[in-house]
Amino acid sequence: METELQGSFIQLRKALFQLNEKDTSLIFTAQALLRWHECHQFCGKSGQPTQKNVAGSKRICPSSNMIYYPQMSPVVITLVSDRTRCLLARQSSFPKGMYSALAGFCDVGETLEEAVRREVAEEVGLEVDSLQYSASQHWPFPNSSLMMACHATVGPGQTEIHVNSQELETAGWFSLEEVATALKRKGPPSNEQDGTIPFWLPPKAAIAHRLIWEWVQKQSSSSNLA
């Protein structure tokens, strides 16, 4: 196939740096549906094989008559700010040098606001003072999730970070100048002369990028007004 189409297969995460918004949405949907069908071939009630409909939008168990629809797990992704800096973190599974916003699954019975406050407290030991919803995005990694993006602020003098090493590799506060510079980098940067890697941010296809871009725009506007 690669020879016939004069192309090559690459990992989907790496492809995010090259795909446009329309293609990204289509591929995310396809990835999520393929993964869901692969993992739901048997009925949870009868244990018998399920069958998918022609459109591939659901699976049916002929034995129990149960109908299964693709589901998404709710996830909160939050960019924390102390009003002059924003907090970025990285997990050990991230590509080298990449930092992002905090993210975590919502627990059963939680509201969006409760999940944000809990995740921020659990991962970096900070108490959220206020929060604002931004936008949402379907995300197919590792399984289908609905990412709900928020901006959160912490109170003055409440900025000491306590990293949960079971959740994160590291986290820190970054200035407007540092983040604005990182936003201009297109994909993983090259090593510096001393061997270090400048920190970089998720691609535009990720909602984390949008959160960070919104924060930079707001901070830049405030600086201009001042």
Side-chain angles (χ1 to χ4, degrees):
M1 185 182 294
E2 290 181 322
T3 301
E4 183 177 342
L5 298 178
Q6 297 182 350
S8 61
F9 285 103
I10 64 172
Q11 293 181 358
L12 182 53
R13 288 179 184 269
K14 293 181 179 180
L16 297 182
F17 291 98
Q18 304 175 31
L19 296 171
N20 58 42
E21 185 175 347
K22 181 180 178 181
D23 289 341
T24 299
S25 178
L26 289 172
I27 291 179
F28 276 11
T29 301
Q31 163 76 1
L33 282 174
L34 288 171
R35 179 68 62 85
W36 180 77
H37 282 295
E38 181 183 21
C39 297
H40 291 79
Q41 297 184 31
F42 295 90
C43 177
K45 184 177 182 179
S46 69
Q48 298 299 310
T50 57
Q51 299 175 354
K52 65 179 179 180
N53 64 340
V54 175
S57 59
K58 60 184 177 182
R59 297 190 73 91
I60 303 168
C61 176
S63 177
S64 65
N65 293 320
M66 290 286 292
I67 301 176
Y68 295 92
Y69 295 95
Q71 297 179 337
M72 294 188 293
S73 300
V75 174
V76 291
I77 179 165
T78 309
L79 186 66
V80 179
S81 170
D82 67 353
R83 295 177 173 81
T84 59
R85 301 171 298 172
C86 75
L87 188 148
L88 299 172
R90 59 173 281 105
Q91 299 177 359
S92 58
S93 60
F94 284 7
K96 290 183 179 180
M98 194 187 85
Y99 282 72
S100 186
L102 301 177
F105 290 97
C106 296
D107 283 345
V108 173
E110 275 188 327
T111 64
L112 171 66
E113 294 81 2
E114 289 170 341
V116 168
R117 296 180 188 278
R118 175 184 56 76
E119 282 292 334
V120 173
E122 284 182 357
E123 295 191 353
V124 291
L126 296 176
E127 183 177 347
V128 170
D129 185 41
S130 62
L131 63 92
Q132 180 181 9
Y133 172 78
S134 173
S136 63
Q137 178 190 35
H138 169 245
W139 190 248
F141 310 111
N143 296 304
S144 194
S145 299
L146 178 62
M147 308 291 289
M148 297 173 288
C150 295
H151 291 278
T153 56
V154 294
Q158 304 294 321
T159 59
E160 185 177 354
I161 299 171
H162 299 280
V163 176
N164 183 340
S165 59
Q166 294 183 333
E167 298 279 347
L168 302 173
E169 182 179 89
T170 187
W173 293 105
F174 292 82
S175 68
L176 172 60
E177 182 180 0
E178 290 174 313
V179 178
T181 300
L183 274 177
K184 296 176 182 178
R185 298 189 178 108
K186 307 297 183 182
S190 302
N191 290 12
E192 299 282 11
Q193 291 184 351
D194 60 1
T196 60
I197 301 176
F199 92 92
W200 54 287
L201 302 169
K204 290 183 178 180
I207 202 165
H209 186 102
R210 170 174 173 157
L211 276 175
I212 296 166
W213 180 86
E214 288 176 343
W215 181 80
V216 167
Q217 294 302 304
K218 182 178 180 180
Q219 292 299 114
S220 299
S221 298
S222 299
S223 298
N224 292 334
L225 290 175

